[in-house]
Amino acid sequence: MKHHISLRSYWAFVRAQGILPSILVCLAFLIAGSFLAVLPFVIGKLTGEVTAAHINRGHVLLLMWLLVGLSVAHMVTWRGSEILFLRYMRPLAFHYEQVLFSNVISEPYPYFVDKLTGKVASYISLLRQELGMLTDQVPYNYVGQIVSILSILIIFISVNWETSVIYACGLVLLFFVGRRFQGPAFAAEGVASDAISTRNGILFDVIANFQNVKSFHSEQTEIHELEEEQEKVLDTVRTSFWASYKYWGNSSFIVRGIIWPVSIVLNVYFFLNHTINITQLATLLSAVLIFTTTIWESIWQLSQFKLQVARTDEAHRYLFGEKIVI
């Protein structure tokens, strides 16, 4: 966060509001996610019981009801966490928007002279929207992914170290792919965000000044200028898309084409050669599927986070420069 002025400003605002309620909300989501995190263990045990030479009905029923209980416990605690979120975290971005507006409208007259008023309004709205999405993602996505990754890594280590090595190597590859392709994608997103906001500012200003447009019969001039701005926006959007496409294509190959197939083939080979039993295989395959999805979601969330930072930094610097707003 050292260079991300928008996050530093928003974090200062959240701390000023009181950070403890947000921490409690995240803990509630953490507890709810932990009920699902242990499912691979229970699924593996249940698979082992139902495929045993002598089935113990009591153990099977116990594990069955444990699965049901974990699902219900997750549902109840998750719904309760959402109520806490609505009460304590959802209003933060809306209150911050009021702070942004108060700071902008309190600026002296020269502040507005060289700025598009429509762009100023658009950026205030964008900051509320993007930072509100980030507030939503912390408990709903980030917390759950941390729980999933930690629990599944424990499963990998407990079954065999080879699978852990495969995933560790895969994460290293993803890191280098990110270093190679994320930078251009985020830079292109920042350029596209600025172009879109400029286009929006021009559009808002033209509509707001319709009296002058009609008085001077300049409708066609304004239409032509907006068409030129649209072409600029489309160029930046295309550039941003292809930069993002390269990043996701390479990441997808590592996750779907390397990590997942190698893990499944290796552990089925271990099972056929009696290195692991059916309980361990079922546990590990469940973990592999969940982990692959979790890693994919984590990559997606990381990319979206950095894109949000690119957009919010552009907006914040346009409005306030390097000033921290609380």
Side-chain angles (χ1 to χ4, degrees):
M1 292 177 55
K2 181 179 179 181
H3 304 293
H4 301 324
I5 185 65
S6 59
L7 293 187
R8 288 169 55 200
S9 183
Y10 188 55
W11 176 241
F13 167 78
V14 173
R15 283 187 300 171
Q17 297 296 304
I19 194 64
L20 183 58
S22 296
I23 293 176
L24 293 176
V25 172
C26 291
L27 286 176
F29 277 93
L30 185 68
I31 293 171
S34 66
F35 289 113
L36 292 184
V38 299
L39 285 181
F41 286 105
V42 182
I43 292 172
K45 290 290 185 183
L46 181 59
T47 303
E49 289 290 341
V50 299
T51 57
H54 301 286
I55 297 178
N56 187 318
R57 291 175 59 86
H59 288 175
V60 171
L61 291 175
L62 176 62
L63 290 168
M64 178 193 72
W65 286 114
L66 181 57
L67 282 175
V68 174
L70 289 170
S71 177
V72 173
H74 170 73
M75 177 188 67
V76 172
T77 53
W78 189 270
R79 296 284 84 83
S81 300
E82 289 185 309
I83 293 174
L84 293 175
F85 170 81
L86 177 64
R87 171 66 177 82
Y88 294 110
M89 292 188 70
R90 175 56 65 82
L92 288 173
F94 291 92
H95 293 163
Y96 188 60
E97 183 179 33
Q98 184 65 30
V99 171
L100 296 174
F101 173 74
S102 298
N103 276 267
V104 167
I105 205 65
S106 299
E107 292 285 349
Y109 182 85
Y111 169 88
F112 298 92
V113 172
D114 60 345
K115 287 181 170 63
L116 291 168
T117 53
K119 188 172 182 178
V120 171
S122 175
Y123 268 160
I124 292 175
S125 179
L126 182 143
L127 282 168
R128 192 270 306 160
Q129 179 180 350
E130 294 291 345
L131 294 173
M133 290 174 58
L134 180 60
T135 302
D136 292 357
Q137 289 164 353
V138 169
Y140 276 94
N141 297 319
Y142 300 158
V143 170
Q145 287 163 3
I146 291 172
V147 173
S148 297
I149 290 174
L150 290 177
S151 61
I152 294 171
L153 284 176
I154 293 173
I155 293 174
F156 288 163
I157 294 171
S158 67
V159 175
N160 61 63
W161 61 267
E162 290 89 348
T163 306
S164 301
V165 171
I166 292 171
Y167 273 84
C169 292
L171 291 175
V172 171
L173 282 174
L174 287 171
F175 172 78
F176 283 109
V177 167
R179 290 287 298 271
R180 171 64 180 84
F181 293 101
Q182 278 185 340
F186 300 147
E189 180 66 21
V191 173
S193 178
D194 182 62
I196 291 171
S197 295
T198 300
R199 186 275 317 274
N200 290 344
I202 293 174
L203 177 62
F204 295 159
D205 284 347
V206 169
I207 298 300
N209 291 284
F210 73 92
Q211 298 97 331
N212 292 331
V213 174
K214 293 298 181 181
S215 298
F216 293 98
H217 305 287
S218 58
E219 293 93 335
Q220 292 303 316
T221 300
E222 298 295 347
I223 291 172
H224 179 68
E225 289 182 359
L226 190 61
E227 285 178 348
E228 292 181 345
E229 288 298 324
Q230 291 286 23
E231 287 301 319
K232 295 178 183 178
V233 169
L234 283 173
D235 286 340
T236 61
V237 169
R238 291 188 188 103
T239 301
S240 177
F241 173 85
W242 285 115
S244 179
Y245 184 85
K246 293 176 183 178
Y247 167 69
W248 282 107
N250 286 277
S251 298
S252 176
F253 175 75
I254 293 173
V255 174
R256 303 295 188 188
I258 298 177
I259 299 178
W260 195 356
V262 173
S263 299
I264 293 174
V265 170
L266 177 66
N267 285 282
V268 170
Y269 172 81
F270 283 159
F271 172 73
L272 294 176
N273 287 273
H274 309 291
T275 304
I276 61 176
N277 56 39
I278 186 63
T279 298
Q280 293 172 312
L281 178 63
T283 301
L284 201 139
L285 289 180
S286 298
V288 165
L289 295 176
I290 295 173
F291 190 84
T292 302
T293 301
T294 300
I295 285 298
W296 197 243
E297 290 177 351
S298 298
I299 295 171
W300 168 256
Q301 292 298 332
L302 178 62
S303 68
Q304 293 306 298
F305 171 76
K306 291 189 174 182
L307 291 177
Q308 286 176 310
V309 170
R311 290 190 290 263
T312 56
D313 275 357
E314 175 67 31
H316 192 282
R317 286 191 168 91
Y318 183 83
L319 296 175
F320 306 109
E322 298 296 323
K323 175 184 174 183
I324 299 293
V325 180
I326 59 172

